[in-house]
Amino acid sequence: MKGTALHKKSFKFFRVSLPKHAVLIIVGLMFLAPFAWLVVTSIETNNEIFSTHPVWFPRVIRWSNYPLAIKNFPFVQYTLNTFYVCGISMIVSLLTCPIVAYAVSRMKFPGRNLLFYIMVGTMILPSQVTMVPLYITFEKLGLINTYWPLILPANFANAYYIFLLRQFFLTIPYDISEAAKIDGASEFRTFLTIIIPLSRPALYTVALFTFLSMWGDFLGPLIYLNNPNKWTLSLGLQSFMTDHSVQWGLLMAASTLFTVPIIVLYFFVQRKFIQGISLTGLK
């Protein structure tokens, strides 16, 4: 009887969970399809790419497209440039955003909520509105054709990242901070030794979002970088398509390599990333 009841319970669980998992698998495959098509196209010949009937898998795999793509445009240099911009932006964001988020979430001062609402309100402004004033400002400062216009905005903290960290900081009990102050800890020491270690999931999330936004940024490098030696990968791929518009296999190979760091980084921090996103909505 016990075995029968256990069998019925397992069957019921399987019957309930199967439709949910089937929907998740179908949705996951839909999101995976463009990347799979990108990889398949990167190892095909031009005849197979432009075939009237879609070639789902090449007859002969052309792995040579990858070394040819790297050879035909300065992939390594553009990759190093992109990592430089992404790395500096991540470090600056992790230095500035937590400080502002801590001030508007854990410190009590007049106008705190008003200041936070005004800051969040800046998220409504589209980037196209501030594009021309920012360009004029950086031009007068003599920073055009440098990486500073891409990095400096991170120094002033991102409103969305501050909002994300603030929501996470609010989930940390105030009793911990009060106990630290009773023991003689200053505000900065409480922030540095207690709040920051407890906020690692949210900090991982901010770091990942910063990396993704800077890695895929095309408009910023297009506006501010004139020297091809300073171009990032996103801008370099555009020039690659212009210079080698017929060799789509090479372009797809370069685009596949462009997405690899994003996938690798996500797999390393996915647990912390999901935890940070889920916990910021508890308050």
Side-chain angles (χ1 to χ4, degrees):
M1 294 294 294
K2 185 176 180 181
T4 305
L6 183 62
H7 177 73
K8 289 182 179 180
K9 187 176 181 180
S10 301
F11 179 76
K12 183 180 179 180
F13 175 78
F14 178 77
R15 184 182 60 184
V16 172
S17 62
L18 180 61
K20 298 178 181 179
H21 285 81
V23 172
L24 291 175
I25 291 173
I26 293 173
V27 174
L29 291 175
M30 291 174 61
F31 279 95
L32 185 62
F35 179 73
W37 187 257
L38 174 69
V39 175
V40 170
T41 306
S42 69
I43 55 177
E44 290 181 342
T45 62
N46 286 334
N47 293 332
E48 292 175 329
I49 294 173
F50 294 103
S51 176
T52 54
H53 302 286
V55 179
W56 301 107
F57 197 79
R59 297 180 181 86
V60 179
I61 300 178
R62 295 196 59 178
W63 296 112
S64 58
N65 285 344
Y66 286 89
L68 286 175
I70 296 175
K71 182 180 178 181
N72 280 276
F73 96 120
F75 180 84
V76 176
Q77 182 179 355
Y78 291 163
T79 301
L80 294 177
N81 294 342
T82 309
F83 271 117
Y84 175 78
V85 174
C86 292
I88 298 297
S89 300
M90 286 174 57
I91 294 173
V92 171
S93 293
L94 292 176
L95 289 176
T96 57
C97 293
I99 296 176
V100 180
Y102 180 82
V104 296
S105 63
R106 313 286 295 190
M107 298 176 64
K108 297 179 180 180
F109 57 89
R112 182 187 67 173
N113 292 332
L114 178 61
L115 179 63
F116 173 71
Y117 294 144
I118 294 174
M119 181 189 62
V120 173
T122 60
M123 296 169 58
I124 302 174
L125 293 174
S127 59
Q128 292 81 0
V129 174
T130 59
M131 184 187 304
V132 175
L134 279 176
Y135 183 86
I136 294 174
T137 302
F138 286 127
E139 185 182 24
K140 290 184 177 180
L141 293 174
L143 300 179
I144 299 299
N145 202 30
T146 67
Y147 294 125
W148 286 112
L150 304 178
I151 298 172
L152 276 179
N155 284 271
F156 299 99
N158 184 288
Y160 175 70
Y161 301 154
I162 294 173
F163 170 78
L164 197 69
L165 290 170
R166 174 186 179 269
Q167 297 304 107
F168 192 93
F169 290 165
L170 290 176
T171 63
I172 301 175
Y174 279 88
D175 295 342
I176 300 177
S177 300
E178 295 297 330
K181 292 178 181 178
I182 292 174
D183 291 338
S186 62
E187 199 75 56
F188 182 74
R189 185 175 181 183
T190 302
F191 164 74
L192 195 62
T193 61
I194 296 177
I195 302 300
I196 290 299
L198 292 175
S199 306
R200 288 179 182 176
L203 295 176
Y204 277 113
T205 303
V206 170
L208 181 61
F209 278 165
T210 304
F211 181 88
L212 292 178
S213 63
M214 298 306 299
W215 184 268
D217 184 22
F218 174 76
L219 189 59
L222 178 65
I223 295 174
Y224 298 115
L225 300 180
N226 302 323
N227 186 354
N229 294 327
K230 297 181 179 180
W231 283 356
T232 58
L233 266 177
S234 57
L235 192 58
L237 287 177
Q238 177 65 29
S239 68
F240 184 91
M241 186 175 64
T242 303
D243 297 337
H244 308 279
S245 57
V246 179
Q247 303 181 45
W248 285 97
L250 303 187
L251 177 60
M252 294 300 104
S255 300
T256 302
L257 295 175
F258 176 77
T259 60
V260 169
I262 300 175
I263 297 173
V264 172
L265 180 64
Y266 177 76
F267 276 110
F268 271 106
V269 300
Q270 62 173 332
R271 182 177 299 178
K272 295 291 184 180
F273 170 71
I274 296 172
Q275 185 180 0
I277 289 294
S278 60
L279 292 180
T280 50
L282 291 179
K283 195 67 178 176

